[in-house]
């Protein structure tokens, strides 16, 4: 499978203090940007090159390691467990123009019609969809503007987590992570999901203006550009309102049933997204679970998965400027990249 999906350029993170070179086994220090002790795997706050410099001999065969083979296996399990995904008759899309890599930055609308020709909105009455959609209007899209989280919005977060945890997909994910000693109980897992996804941090000048959920699923605008915004339901609802304008796509995955993956260009109320990726037709719990898996298993590195026999990779990054709990990291972003 060859793609042209490139979403972020790689960063040179292999020099101190962002590197584990010469720091393996170093005691935890809350002032460090990232960590190199054995506990960093549990708290998903390892430096990105931890596995390059500090991976113990035999670690790959230990019970607690999440191996490349584990990721391929569990991702296929989650794919098969997505019982709430759209059926082929539930969605009709019209991808129209396929942009070359040289054209994605042109900000030219090369597709006259909307991306979505039809969506069976009965999908949205399913509990995980309904609770997900209620979260989407809880955010100020502009970074640098403090988020005002109400009691009702906190209740909506809890309800979404309650609904997704009822699904076979999220139960399989928890069972997998429990066996790998990442979480001792489902209650601990849910509490951590709430912090890593909904915990607020500052992308601006100190304001609590962002969270992983807002960035990935709802989308943000920073310095006049769309950042994040990787969710098909959000896109469909805003396109239906005339707020999102689909321009083109630069990648259409090999799947012949939902979910599929598109790399796409669009404008959101006049703000441009040069290259965005989106699963189309998956349930909210599928995206939420897959991104969570990759963030816990290999934050800062490409996470190689298998969905219906096809290769797919997800990139996640941790927010390094603030932490929660015992040095745990919030989700900064998560998106599909080339495998």
């Amino acid at each position: 499978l060859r793609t042209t999906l490139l979403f972020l350029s790689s960063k040179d993170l292999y020099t101190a203090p962002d590197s584990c070179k010469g720091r393996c086994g170093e005691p935890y220090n809350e002032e460090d940007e990232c960590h190199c002790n054995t506990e960093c795997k549990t708290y998903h706050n390892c430096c990105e090159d931890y596995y390059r410099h500090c991976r113990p001999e035999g670690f790959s065969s230990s019970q607690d390691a999440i191996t490349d083979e584990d990721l391929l296996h569990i991702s296929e399990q989650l794919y098969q467990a997505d019982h709430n995904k759209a059926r082929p008759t539930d969605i009709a899309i019209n991808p129209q123009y396929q942009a070359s890599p040289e054209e994605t930055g042109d900000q030219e609308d090369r597709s006259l019609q909307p991306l979505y020709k039809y969506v069976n909105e009965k999908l949205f009455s399913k509990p995980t969809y309904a609770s997900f959609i209620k979260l989407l209007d809880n955010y100020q899209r502009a970074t640098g503007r403090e988020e005002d989280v109400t009691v009702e919005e906190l209740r909506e977060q809890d309800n979404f987590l309650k609904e997704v945890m009822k699904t076979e997909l999220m139960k399989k994910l928890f069972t997998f992570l429990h066996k790998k000693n990442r979480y001792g109980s489902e209650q601990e897992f849910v509490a951590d999901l709430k912090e890593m996804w909904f915990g607020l941090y500052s992308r601006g000048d100190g304001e609590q203006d962002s969270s992983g959920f807002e960035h990935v699923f709802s989308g943000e605008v920073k310095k006049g550009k769309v950042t994040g915004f990787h969710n098909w339901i959000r896109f469909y609802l805003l396109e239906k309102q005339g707020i999102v304008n689909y321009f083109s796509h630069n990648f259409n995955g090999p799947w012949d049933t939902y979910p599929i993956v598109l790399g796409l260009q669009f404008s959101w109320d006049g703000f441009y997204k040069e290259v965005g990726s989106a699963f189309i037709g998956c349930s909210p719990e599928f995206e939420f679970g897959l991104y969570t898996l990759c963030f816990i298993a290999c934050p800062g590195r490409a996470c190689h998965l298998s969905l219906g026999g096809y290769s797919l990779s997800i990139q996640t990054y941790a927010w390094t400027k603030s932490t929660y709990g015992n040095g745990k990291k919030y989700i900064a972003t998560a998106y599909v990249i080339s495998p």
Side-chain angles (χ1 to χ4, degrees):
L1 177 63
R2 299 183 61 190
T3 77
T4 55
L5 288 177
L6 292 172
F7 300 106
L8 288 178
S9 59
S10 298
K11 298 179 181 178
D12 180 11
L13 296 176
Y14 303 126
T15 56
D18 297 331
S19 172
C20 282
K21 187 175 182 180
R23 295 178 54 205
C24 297
E26 183 179 80
Y28 172 80
N29 185 330
E30 63 179 10
E31 296 183 359
D32 290 338
E33 293 187 21
C34 58
H35 305 281
C36 306
N37 50 44
T38 55
E39 289 77 21
C40 74
K41 299 186 298 297
T42 300
Y43 291 103
H44 43 269
N45 58 16
C46 300
C47 296
E48 291 184 21
D49 61 357
Y50 173 80
Y51 290 92
R52 175 185 294 187
H53 295 296
C54 306
R55 192 165 182 161
E57 291 298 323
F59 179 77
S60 61
S61 61
S62 73
Q63 179 183 348
D64 294 350
I66 298 177
T67 66
D68 291 342
E69 292 74 21
D70 287 333
L71 289 171
L72 295 176
H73 183 66
I74 185 61
S75 56
E76 283 289 1
Q77 285 191 321
L78 300 183
Y79 179 78
Q80 296 299 326
D82 189 13
H83 305 307
N84 286 327
K85 68 182 179 183
R87 297 166 300 177
T89 55
D90 285 331
I91 300 175
I93 61 171
N94 184 16
Q96 301 165 81
Y97 188 82
Q98 182 163 358
S100 68
E102 292 77 24
E103 293 174 319
T104 59
D106 290 351
Q107 302 192 34
E108 183 176 339
D109 185 356
R110 295 182 168 91
S111 300
L112 299 180
Q113 302 299 318
L115 174 60
Y116 288 92
K117 295 170 66 175
Y118 168 75
V119 171
N120 178 7
E121 294 193 9
K122 289 182 179 178
L123 283 171
F124 301 159
S125 65
K126 294 185 176 185
T128 57
Y129 285 80
S131 59
F132 174 83
I133 290 169
K134 284 188 176 181
L135 294 168
L136 295 175
D137 63 357
N138 290 352
Y139 300 102
Q140 304 263 12
R141 72 179 178 188
T143 59
R145 296 177 64 182
E146 186 96 15
E147 294 291 348
D148 180 20
V149 182
T150 67
V151 172
E152 178 62 23
E153 289 171 354
L154 291 173
R155 190 178 298 116
E156 290 172 354
Q157 294 172 11
D158 290 336
N159 188 55
F160 171 70
L161 292 171
K162 181 185 73 174
E163 293 299 338
V164 297
M165 288 307 301
K166 292 178 182 177
T167 65
E168 180 187 345
L169 189 153
M170 289 299 289
K171 288 186 180 298
K172 280 184 178 294
L173 177 59
F174 166 70
T175 298
F176 172 77
L177 295 172
H178 178 62
K179 287 180 178 177
K180 295 295 183 180
N181 287 324
R182 296 311 195 268
Y183 298 99
S185 67
E186 188 172 307
Q187 182 180 8
E188 180 189 352
F189 179 48
V190 172
D192 199 37
L193 286 173
K194 185 169 184 178
E195 289 293 340
M196 75 168 75
W197 278 106
F198 295 103
L200 293 174
Y201 49 81
S202 175
R203 291 183 191 264
D205 298 319
E207 301 88 354
Q208 299 293 92
D209 62 347
S210 186
S211 68
F213 187 92
E214 176 186 6
H215 181 84
V216 173
F217 294 105
S218 184
E220 297 181 295
V221 172
K222 184 174 183 178
K223 297 181 179 178
K225 293 183 178 181
V226 177
T227 63
F229 198 141
H230 298 291
N231 179 255
W232 77 270
I233 300 168
R234 173 71 160 165
F235 190 104
Y236 165 74
L237 292 173
L238 292 183
E239 185 180 59
K240 182 181 177 182
Q241 296 173 41
I243 298 172
V244 159
N245 181 21
Y246 171 72
F247 280 18
S248 57
H249 71 286
N250 65 302
F251 171 73
N252 191 343
W255 295 271
D256 55 10
T257 186
Y258 293 115
I260 65 171
V261 175
L262 276 186
L264 62 166
Q265 293 71 52
F266 61 91
S267 70
W268 177 17
D269 217 9
F271 300 102
Y272 188 60
K273 180 72 173 181
E274 180 174 339
V275 183
S277 62
F279 287 105
I280 295 179
C282 67
S283 68
E285 60 265 28
F286 177 81
E287 257 186 307
F288 190 71
L290 223 56
Y291 290 150
T292 298
L293 168 67
C294 287
F295 181 68
I296 292 171
C298 41
R301 297 184 293 124
C303 179
H304 303 301
L305 309 175
S306 178
L307 303 180
Y310 293 102
S311 298
L312 181 88
S313 297
I314 286 173
Q315 178 74 50
T316 65
Y317 283 102
W319 187 254
T320 61
K321 298 178 181 179
S322 55
T323 61
Y324 68 92
N326 186 21
K328 287 190 174 187
K329 299 291 180 65
Y330 300 104
I331 291 175
T333 192
Y335 51 86
V336 179
I337 58 172
S338 56

